[in-house]
Amino acid sequence: MQGKAPTPDGQVQDAVKGNWVDTLAPEWTRPYLRLSRADRPIGTWLLFLPCLWGLVLAMLNSQSSNWSDLWIAFVCAAGSWLMRGAGCTWNDITDRDFDAQVARTRSRPIPSGQVSVKGALVWMALQALVSFGLLLTLNAAAIAMGVLALLPVAVYPFAKRFTWWPQVFLGVAFNWGILLAWVAHSGSLGWPAVVLYLAGMTWTLFYDTIYAHQDTEDDALIGVKSTARLFGSSSPMWLRRFLVATVLLMAVAIISALQTEASVMALALALVGPWAMGWHMVWQLKRFDDEDPAKLLAVFRSNRDTGLIPLIFFCLALLA
């Protein structure tokens, strides 16, 4: 439980080394940007990429695209950064006592004393309000989806207190952008989006179980639940199951979306996406070592590339 000594100059222990927050941002902004995880961009990628999956698959489903889709992509990008920041701020407010007891998290802004709870609440509200302003530029159905997204975001920090499956709640929150982006393009929800959403959830179970293995010893001592603790030495078997489920569900979503209007070439290209994504997840499994926190963090961060792989093939299918 003693862990490492606090990092210098308020840096967070598991932040990307030499990140722009610690090196370029004005000093007074750094605690708040750290609170939003701006020094650890992987979370924004993991929130943003499912949005793009949903948007491009909706375009493939409708066989139409226009300039408004670029605006939807921009809103998703900005909203992912802002709402990830607001969600992480809320998470750190609710977890401040737990974070102070875990070696990897005690250097975060609230437990380390860089930001007060009141200051964090104001910062969270500011980020959420700007994000809501952007949401209001989309259609009514997308606005409704965006407002509904607040529920899983609010509940997630408490999930590890009452269930061994908090990663499910994270998956619900982190992949909501699939549904929102689909609705923003199409005006209504479709089954392909729902199935793709389930694929995103199983992917989240895969990468966040890997991430949670960094803290299993501390989590056991303070009573925090996770799939990493639940699975223990059986984690590789469960990770393989999540891998297979992700690939199959994404393939079903693609076939459902493209089977009537798209060309055979577009369908084939799109289906390469989950296949290639699956191989990248296999590569992660080969590197999985629950005794090496540094390797676990590196494998977790590689999921930016995992999520980019199907997006590339979706975009190629759009051009076919």
Side-chain angles (χ1 to χ4, degrees), residues 226-249:
S226 70
T227 50
R229 286 191 60 207
L230 177 64
F231 302 153
S233 60
S234 298
S235 286
M237 177 187 70
W238 280 95
L239 292 173
R240 283 192 290 272
R241 291 173 178 174
F242 297 144
L243 186 164
V244 171
T246 301
V247 172
L248 291 179
L249 285 167

Side-chain angles (χ1 to χ4, degrees), residues 45-119:
W45 280 107
L46 295 176
L47 201 59
F48 179 46
L49 288 170
C51 297
L52 294 183
W53 293 356
L55 175 60
V56 179
L57 196 66
M59 294 162 68
L60 286 166
N61 176 254
S62 65
Q63 289 293 290
S64 66
S65 59
N66 51 61
W67 290 109
S68 65
D69 293 316
L70 288 177
W71 179 252
I72 294 171
F74 171 77
V75 171
C76 287
S80 294
W81 194 90
L82 289 162
M83 287 309 297
R84 189 251 181 154
C88 288
T89 303
W90 172 240
N91 185 80
D92 283 8
I93 291 169
T94 60
D95 282 0
R96 59 190 183 276
D97 294 332
F98 287 147
D99 286 346
Q101 301 177 64
V102 176
R104 185 179 59 83
T105 58
R106 63 165 58 106
S107 58
R108 287 178 176 175
I110 295 177
S112 64
Q114 297 177 59
V115 178
S116 67
V117 173
K118 182 179 179 180

Side-chain angles (χ1 to χ4, degrees), residues 128-137:
L129 284 171
V130 175
S131 182
F132 183 63
L134 289 169
L135 181 67
L136 290 176
T137 66

Side-chain angles (χ1 to χ4, degrees), residues 174-196:
F174 257 56
N175 295 283
W176 199 269
I178 292 172
L179 308 179
L180 192 152
W182 178 286
V183 168
H185 172 85
S186 304
S188 61
L189 197 57
W191 280 111
V194 175
V195 179
L196 186 64

